[in-house]
Each structure stands twice: as structure tokens, then as C-alpha cells.
Amino acid sequence: MAGKADETEWLAAVFDRLKVLTDQAIAVVAAAAPPTDVAEAEKRARAVGVLARTAKAVAALKPARKTPDEDEMSEDDRDVSDAELAGLQAEFFARVDHLVAAFERKSLAAGLDREPAARGEDPGAAGGDPGDAEVERRTDLAA
């Protein structure tokens, strides 16, 4: 986020400088003597067109100002407490365990029984309760 803030500040400074330079160029064209022939009139018309396009381009660089709502929001507001984090972790692990169990049920139904070592389990724990892994990870269920 700091990079975006730095870029916004830089763009604001560039916009301010370009705006001043554009105003000076407009003042020079406005202060010039009126054209006396067609060639001078064409030259002035081209200069006015260039200045108009320049002013439009500089105006497009104007950085958007933050609204009061955006000023109140920050990354710090998104911090979660330890209790909220524990709750989110418990919910995450419950969902992962549910997905693993569903995957294993479908694998068994399809005849794709995996060896306990392939699941990262102790080969002697083949008869264990599949809910044990959830109890070990979830802090709200641990005794």
C-alpha cells in the first residue's frame, strides 16, 4: 500500500507542476499580438489546439482525492483478535477435514483405497477414527 501512496503523492506533485506550466503557456499565447495575416492566424489556431489538448491531458492526470470514508479505512482495521483467529482456523480445519473425508469416501467407493503411508499416517493407525485428525487440529474440540 505504501507504494500506491507514494505514487499518488508523486502524481499530485507532477500534476501541480504541469498545471502551472500549462497556465504559463496559455498566458504567453493570450498575451501575443493579434494575428495580422492568415499564416499567423493558422499558427495561433494550432497553438490553441495544442494547448487545449495539453490542458485536457493535464486534467486527466489529476489524482483522485480520497473520500472521508476511504481515509477512515486502513489495513490496520482488518486485524483480527486471537479469539477470532482461532475461530477462523477451527472453521478452516473443519472444512478441510470435511473435504478430505469426502475425497476418501469417493476414493473408497471407486475402489481406489490408498495405503496409510500415502496419507501421511502411521501404518499401525489404519483402523483409527477419521475424526481424530479433526480433534487434534481444532482447538475448540481438544480436551
Side-chain angles (χ1 to χ4, degrees), residues 95-143:
R95 289 181 182 193
V96 168
D97 288 339
H98 174 74
L99 291 171
V100 168
F103 176 75
E104 288 182 354
R105 277 193 311 272
K106 290 184 180 207
S107 295
L108 287 172
L112 300 174
D113 188 22
R114 297 183 304 155
E115 293 297 320
R119 293 191 302 251
E121 298 175 1
D122 180 20
D129 181 13
D132 291 344
E134 180 178 347
V135 172
E136 289 175 13
R137 284 193 292 235
R138 292 187 57 187
T139 57
D140 59 333
L141 297 178

Side-chain angles (χ1 to χ4, degrees), residues 28-47:
V28 167
V29 171
T36 56
D37 62 8
V38 174
E40 287 181 23
E42 281 184 29
K43 187 175 178 182
R44 178 171 268 190
R46 282 195 306 275

